[in-house]
Amino acid sequence: MIVCVAVVGHQNNPLYIQSFTDADDALKLHHIVHCSLDVVDERVNNPKKSGPTLNETFLGLLYPTENYKVYGYLTNTKVKFILVTTDLDVRDADVRNFFRRFHAAYVDAVSNPFHVPGKKITSKTFAETVSTIVKSFGLSSAG
Amino acid sequence: MAREVSESCVDSLLTEMVSTYCNRFYANKPDLAARSIEAIGYQVGHQLSERYTMDRPRFSDHLEAIKFICKDFWSELFKKQIDNLKTNHRGTFVLQDSQFRWLSRVSVDLSENGDVSQDNPEATAENKAAQVTSMHLYFPCGIIRGALSNLGIPCAVSADISNLPACELLALFAN
Amino acid sequence: MANFLAQFQTIKNSCDHLVIAVEDVSDLWPTIKNGFEERFPLKRAYLNNKTRNPVPVDNLPAVLILTTDARLRSRFPHEQYLFWFREPYATIVLITCEDLDEFKTILKPRLKLIVQNDEREWFIVFVSKAHPNNDQATKMAKKVYARLEVDFSSKKRERCCKFDLHRPEANFWEDLESKIVECIRNTLDKRVQFYEDEIRKLSEQRFMPESLAFMFEMAHLHEDALCEYDELELCYLETVNITGKQRDFGGVEHGDDQATLLNPGKKPLTQIVQDDSFREFEFRQYVFACQSRLLFKLNRPFEVASRGFSFIISFSKALTMHENILPFSMREIWVISACMDLIDATASNYNEGLAPLDIEKEFYRLQGDLYSLCRVKFLRLAYLIGYGTNMERSPVNSASLSMLPWPKPAVWPSVPPDASSKVLAKEKLILQETPAIKHFGIQRKPLPLEPSLLLREANRRRASLSAGNMLEISGSDAMSKMFPSHKAQTNSMTRTNSSPGLDSSIDRPMRLAEIYVAAEYALHSTISNPELWKSFSSVEEFEQKYLELTKGAADNYHRSWWKRHGVVLDGEIAAVYFKNGNFDLAAKSYEKVCALYAGEGWQDLLAEVLPNLAECQKILNDQAGYLSSCVRLLSLDKGLFLTKERQAFQSEVVRLAHSEMKQPVPLDVSSLITFSGNPGPPIELCDGDPGTLYVTVWSGFPDDITLDSLSLTLMATFQADEGVKALRSSTAIVLKPGRNTITLDLPPQKPGSYVLGVLTGQIGHLSFRSHSFSKGGPADSDDFMSYEKPTRPILKVFKSRPLVDLATAVSSALLINESQWVGIIVRPLNYSLKGAVLHIDTGPGLGIEESHVIEMESYADLTNGSTETVTNGALENGSSTVNKDFEQLTLHDGRIEFPDWASNMTSILWIPVRAISDKLARGSSSATPQRTNIVDGMRTVALKLEFGISHNQTFERHVYFLTLAVHFTDPFHVSTRVADKCHDGTLLLQVILHSEVKAALTIHDAWLDLQDGFVHADRGDGRPTSGFFPLVISPASKAGILFSIRLGKTDAEDASNVLESDSILNVRYGISGNRSVGAHPPVSTKHSATEDAKQDLVFQSALVLQRPVLDPCLAVGFLPLPSSGLRVGQLVTMKWRVERLKDFENEVPQHHDEVLYEVYANTDNWMIAGRKRGHVSLSAKQGSRIEISILCVPLVAGYVRPPQLGLPDVVEANISCNPPGPHLICVLPPALSSSFCIPLMMSASSSVFLRHSMRLAILALLSQTIEMQHGKYWRLICVKLVRLRFIRFLNQNVSGKQHL
């Protein structure tokens, strides 16, 4: 299951973090997201490492750990999306698909004239959209 | 999904905004008015760039971004691409649009363009018209600046309308 | 084939050199052995790798072994192909021979025999023992060698070489080496070829690749060896999946918990492999070990690390799969040891700076990953045995631990016998354990470190045991496990008084302490590495190990530029430091962490760490840091802390602020207190105006906070030199949370426009400053644009202006000697005159009528004639009038308080004054032209207006000084002329009255009192001949009156005193004027308008009537000046001649023969020497004359009035001037030479004179030039100087003067 999704601004400042765990341990997810920025930076700074996926918005798997996976996505405007999931066999396609939808939702959110760029995203609609996307994550692959 | 509005709406919105800022809010402070309009444009460009770059690979360098602005962004805005792009490779880009859509309907009498000097009232009228038109240009400038800076290219954009409805947008990068 | 395995490994381990056989045909070996062996290892050889490409191999080691050696004998041919790598790669045949026949007959066949076996690579070394100077022998040797070549060398291969014992040729060794290498190469190729065919043949034959790989390795073709091993691993992996091939996983022996990633020889292969199936556990490690060994040889530690990491990950997966058969938490332990091994090995083999930067970063990152992986496992184990309470429940640990599942042994270990004491100890620990109290009383639900509740997990696993699958383990020892422990349980239970009924039951759930103890025992049995076990033995050991691991991870992450990972781990280290009371180190690390989080705005995480930092600073008594931390805590998102906690922060700040601080700490509260000018246009003031500034201040404090003082600087926008002005409100200000509006008094500012600068203030002893303009607190809609906005000016001060204007109401003259109203218009220029006080001080000759009230009225309704205002003012005097724009004020010692109604409107102040002039007005006659003098009609009124706005503290006091000039005059100016002279001596005297005032004058009567010598012609009452009274004179017009008079009889005495008295004209008149215009009826004590109207005034004017002068008695004549014109500084003598025209024998006798003279001269222009005034004797006889001469010096060039001679005693009427003195004479500027001193030389020849005159001349000259340059002032000074010197000079030689 997806335990956390996050939007991180181009100054590595958190714009939106939503965790989907029942226990209130959001902080550890904050930590994971924050640390994953190290990898994002690395990928961006020396692109030859990221190899074929150069300049692709989808950064792929950032973290191979035993217990959870962290995926990254970097938009043209240097905004990062981070996805933390605990199920260990995730299909790349699903993640890509997820990020695409997530990105769309994000764009809608920031296109709101009352949203102040660089500030946290507080729109309820966005939150709802995100939660639906998260819920439907993996179902598409199943179905 | 994308709802559309008629172009005339956009035009009249632009003119309305300009007139509001120039004549009501900052009646006798043109620079303030310009700044505010430019800021609005900035925000719009900021958000538009967010949307229009959605499903395309990241730009590797400035030139790509500029090209994006000239091609896709422009045609999203004006249904046409930039006609000419010049650069001095030192961070200055000149975007030429021979038929700038938002100014295509500005009725400036261009017949006297050649002999402005002949009689003063004409000339002053010319200047007035030019000023008004340039007011209408702060918005697009702001849009471009917003878009570029959102793409990570801080810059200053200025416009030149020596011969309407052609328009030259000058983008200066801070590098 | 497995029975070869033992051999295989032994052989493999034994031989690590290529073997080269030496066939010593004619016992030469001992003699040349050394020479040959020191050629090895071969410097450089080119061998073909698997793809038949030549590769350079350096220092190829090899051993030379005689074929007779045991090592090469006793070989069974069938095992040859298996251990081929140890077979000789080349055979060197050593022969020597002196005799050709012998060679042919004996040696040759033997050689043939040796070299017939084809798969050997061989060549022949012919050794010639012939001594060089023994030609015979050498020739023979040559012959034999030639023969040898013919027989054995072929076109395509040169198989012989000749070695001279005594004098080896230079190229022999190269030749030898090349031959050897050639042989090796060929052999290698042959064998590789062979193996590959073999592999192709029997693909499941697993040992070909390895022996091949090993062969490559021996040949130092590491790349190929590596490839072989990788291949080996691959085909291993595919075989594992083939069912039937699998055997037990392995890893159950003692010591298996320690990874053998790096030494392949750890275990005999026989254990690993038994007839073509393997133990996964050992075998994979074995293969990896071989690979890593190769990689190290290839000097690629980085690859070892990266492969190693992924290997560990995947392998631990495998371990989890087999966890149920493995010892308790085998996986964790194995991972730990594996990581540590890898870390040490790679780190020791890695030398910095060689690899490219990104590789290096990657390497360190891997190290960091290894460390942190190891760390996590270590923590997990430590938790199992009850060190969980010693772990920081930080995001890091939570993230890594809470998602890491518990070990899943088939059966959870149960409490061993005689562990009661341990259990007790643990119990105690658990009981003592207190939830870590956070600072500031912050309450947070501690982050989880465990994926699920350990208690439940463990008991579930035991429950599963009791659920019936007892058979798996023998019940008996299960019992023996249970029961002794339950003794321990009972007494512990009684302490934790739970029902003792449970004890007997087997699956009574274990308590936490028991779980800990059990785990500890289990681990102890699993862990074979004493080091590792030691670090579990006690809390201190645990912490030390924990610290070591964390530090390792942090450092490596830092090196790999993963700053976030690194810094966060630093935070963990800090936590340990903190626990051990090493506060300043802790503070340092915490600061780093906070900086990281704050810099990127991760407030949630920051909120977790910042309190710790604050606590450190508090303990370290670092007040500045502590305060700023508190402020930062307060300025975090409101949602992050409860109000209670935020209040705690604030109270901390306040407490510290009011406590005694060592040194006053400046505190930046920009994030907490922000301010902005009020929206809307800036305040506009004028220079000198005070004002009030409204500032919006946003307070981020949860409670009201009292600012003991607050001051806000204004910065002038353009002129930078114009420094900042601080507006301070000395009174304490209480800020509510959120928006406040404070007002500051604006003292008068210099012109310019100002923006808000810095807000500073005091909370107790704490001085804070804030320099952030609030964007209006919560982001308003155009907040985004606001960085586009310039900082808005909030105050504009314009050039200074007058605040009030005072002027006289009347322009025209007032009546002198009468009490008149002087109107003073007071016009406040939109500045309030509230409480203004006017000081009035009348100049000389002017007095205020104290008896009268002062009237004040608004200026507006003065437009319609003011008279009735006066009157009704007069009617209701004193009593405060109804309409506020008229009031009567009284003067207290020259001060008048303004009424309030007048504070903002233009008003006029009527002050009754009387100008006194005692001297009588003089009329003028046609004979003596009058000089009208305005000045003596002028009076001045000095006004001092004090006003201003008084504030609570300061009284902005303005004083406005003004001196009004009021012109007083007589109603008339009288002039006379003799209209006509009749024959009978009657004179018609016409008296003309010029009206001098702007008012209608009505003359009711006029009479003339004549002086002596004149009498009225007709009747004696002195009334005019033509009296048409009343006679009205409109303003500024004239009227004439005729008097007829005649000369009275004159005699000597009245001729003498005729000159004293003069005749007086009296005029009785009335005036009707308007005080707002000018002269008006005087203020009268009795206020009745009617009487005022017809009140009569009397005006007297003196007239001078002169008898015509008949006989001048003295004549004064001016004698001409020297023709050479005058020059500045040149002495001239002025001469006058006084002559008596007629004698005065009938005069008063005293000083009859003396005449008093006086010389008038403008002292600026002239310098007079000698006596200005004196008596000269002049005999009374008619015609007697005298000359008066004056020595004088002109001081300025130009046309100047010459000195005049006057005779004060004599009435000028008796003096006739002829020739008259000139009005002006021309004085030339001084000539630039000493020539003008010449007259002086003549006049006096004393050196003193000369010197003085020279100096004098120079000074005069100086005065000229100075006059040109500087103003008159300097010139005067010089003149003074000159005069001084000159006078002194004259006093010195008066005598000389007498001689003239």
Side-chain angles (χ1 to χ4, degrees), chain C residues 424-439:
Chain C
L424 283 183
K426 292 281 183 197
E427 286 277 355
K428 226 186 245 80
L429 280 181
I430 295 173
L431 288 183
Q432 287 162 357
E433 162 193 345
T434 53
I437 175 71
K438 280 180 115 16
H439 323 300

Side-chain angles (χ1 to χ4, degrees), chain C residues 444-509:
Chain C
R444 289 272 179 284
K445 191 163 176 302
L447 290 169
L449 291 182
E450 48 285 290
S452 62
L453 216 54
L454 178 58
L455 196 58
R456 194 183 308 122
E457 180 74 12
N459 281 318
R460 220 189 69 244
R461 295 207 163 275
R462 291 187 62 253
S464 68
L465 134 84
S466 67
N469 45 12
M470 295 280 289
L471 315 178
E472 292 185 354
I473 54 170
S474 68
S476 61
D477 69 349
M479 291 304 158
S480 61
K481 274 204 181 64
M482 295 297 164
F483 282 115
S485 67
H486 112 242
K487 179 166 75 297
Q489 288 152 15
T490 44
N491 47 24
S492 58
M493 296 282 279
T494 45
R495 192 174 69 266
T496 58
N497 54 50
S498 69
S499 70
L502 277 171
D503 304 329
S504 57
S505 77
I506 291 173
D507 57 353
R508 180 193 51 75

Side-chain angles (χ1 to χ4, degrees), chain C residues 222-463:
Chain C
H222 301 302
E223 290 291 352
D224 301 275
L226 188 57
C227 300
E228 289 309 313
Y229 277 115
D230 296 352
E231 198 169 296
L232 182 59
E233 189 173 11
L234 281 180
C235 45
Y236 159 74
L237 286 178
E238 68 206 22
T239 39
V240 211
N241 305 338
I242 305 168
T243 47
K245 286 271 181 216
Q246 278 142 337
R247 274 181 59 237
D248 58 339
F249 177 74
V252 285
E253 290 103 355
H254 178 72
D256 277 349
D257 61 311
Q258 300 184 48
T260 59
L261 287 184
L262 298 170
N263 50 347
K266 180 86 181 311
K267 278 194 183 181
L269 265 175
T270 39
Q271 298 177 353
I272 306 179
V273 185
Q274 287 160 9
D275 45 20
D276 75 6
S277 69
F278 334 92
R279 275 207 196 138
E280 180 174 5
F281 182 80
E282 286 89 354
F283 186 71
R284 286 184 65 182
Q285 296 194 54
Y286 168 74
V287 173
F288 182 82
C290 299
Q291 290 167 337
S292 56
R293 186 183 57 200
L294 281 172
L295 285 171
F296 280 137
K297 280 184 181 164
L298 287 167
N299 188 17
R300 295 203 292 225
F302 160 70
E303 219 167 311
V304 178
S306 60
R307 282 168 174 242
F309 187 66
S310 42
F311 178 80
I312 290 175
I313 295 288
S314 65
F315 197 75
S316 77
K317 277 203 188 63
L319 287 176
T320 26
M321 268 188 285
H322 301 84
E323 196 167 8
N324 48 2
I325 60 162
L326 290 174
F328 179 66
S329 66
M330 169 80 171
R331 175 170 61 125
E332 284 76 7
I333 300 167
W334 182 86
V335 170
I336 292 174
S337 63
C339 288
M340 293 317 291
D341 292 353
L342 261 185
I343 290 166
D344 299 342
T346 48
S348 58
N349 277 286
Y350 186 83
N351 38 12
E352 289 185 35
L354 297 188
L357 180 59
D358 50 351
I359 292 295
E360 178 148 336
K361 277 162 62 181
E362 185 69 11
F363 175 75
Y364 286 125
R365 202 212 75 228
L366 281 163
Q367 295 273 321
D369 286 345
L370 285 169
Y371 264 115
S372 52
L373 179 59
C374 182
R375 175 173 174 276
V376 172
K377 301 294 183 187
F378 180 72
L379 282 181
R380 169 43 42 84
L381 292 185
Y383 189 94
L384 278 180
I385 60 179
Y387 290 143
T389 59
N390 303 83
M391 297 177 193
E392 192 75 2
R393 291 182 171 266
S394 62
V396 202
N397 291 346
S398 170
S400 45
L401 283 179
S402 68
M403 291 199 244
L404 180 69
W406 293 114
K408 295 183 179 54
V411 178
W412 195 271
S414 47
V415 188
D418 62 45
S420 57
S421 58
K422 276 193 173 299
V423 173
L424 283 183
K426 292 281 183 197
E427 286 277 355
K428 226 186 245 80
L429 280 181
I430 295 173
L431 288 183
Q432 287 162 357
E433 162 193 345
T434 53
I437 175 71
K438 280 180 115 16
H439 323 300
F440 299 106
I442 296 172
Q443 277 140 1
R444 289 272 179 284
K445 191 163 176 302
L447 290 169
L449 291 182
E450 48 285 290
S452 62
L453 216 54
L454 178 58
L455 196 58
R456 194 183 308 122
E457 180 74 12
N459 281 318
R460 220 189 69 244
R461 295 207 163 275
R462 291 187 62 253

Side-chain angles (χ1 to χ4, degrees), chain A residues 12 28 38 42 48 63 66, chain C residues 358 377 402 562 565 602:
Chain A
N12 292 331
K28 79 181 183 196
D38 274 334
E42 198 173 68
K48 82 170 179 51
Y63 257 122
E66 287 183 297
Chain C
D358 50 351
K377 301 294 183 187
S402 68
W562 278 21
H565 284 74
W602 291 74

